[in-house]
Amino acid sequence: MFNFDEANKKSKEAVDTALRTYSDTAKGFQAIAAEAAEYSKKSFQDAVTHFETLAGVRSFEAAFELQTSYVKSSYESFVSEATKLGEMYADLAKSAYKPYEAPIAAAVAKTTRQAPPATPAAA
């Protein structure tokens, strides 16, 4: 027989889990957005400083050397930031999936136990 109290309890647990996951996901996206904004601000400040320095250079060789070092440091900074943001996205995905991991595994295990054995197709 259908137990309304048990169904209500399971429904409440599911809604609570979903709300908690949505809240954690929102916090994760806020952290990612803050990190991206901070990187953009720092990158812009570095570019302004570089161009101010570049404007004061008197020789082509010095300008070339300055530009080369700026491009190298900008690239390294970008790669570092992209790696950090990638890790933040991966952590966010893991934390969003975590509450559903056990119920999905249980549902899959239950379905595979109940599934009838597969019959070979006739040739």
Side-chain angles (χ1 to χ4, degrees):
M1 178 157 197
F2 189 76
N3 186 343
F4 285 104
D5 291 334
E6 185 65 26
N8 188 26
K9 179 182 173 192
K10 292 290 184 186
S11 176
K12 183 179 180 333
E13 288 174 4
V15 169
D16 289 345
T17 299
L19 289 175
R20 199 170 32 256
T21 300
Y22 295 149
S23 175
D24 292 345
T25 301
K27 288 177 186 173
F29 279 123
Q30 286 175 342
I32 290 169
E35 181 66 32
E38 187 64 32
Y39 171 73
S40 295
K41 182 179 175 184
K42 182 186 177 307
S43 179
F44 181 76
Q45 289 172 343
D46 290 347
V48 168
T49 303
H50 167 69
F51 285 115
E52 287 173 351
T53 307
L54 191 61
V57 172
R58 299 281 182 220
S59 72
F60 178 75
E61 290 81 17
F64 186 78
E65 185 179 316
L66 185 64
Q67 185 66 17
T68 302
S69 67
Y70 172 73
V71 169
K72 182 180 177 186
S73 68
S74 292
Y75 176 74
E76 290 171 352
S77 176
F78 172 75
V79 169
S80 173
E81 187 66 21
T83 301
K84 185 175 183 179
L85 287 174
E87 290 170 357
M88 289 176 80
Y89 274 112
D91 291 343
L92 177 62
K94 288 175 189 174
S95 69
Y97 178 70
K98 190 123 180 110
Y100 303 104
E101 191 172 18
I104 289 173
V108 168
K110 184 178 179 183
T111 339
T112 54
R113 278 184 275 149
Q114 293 177 352
T119 56

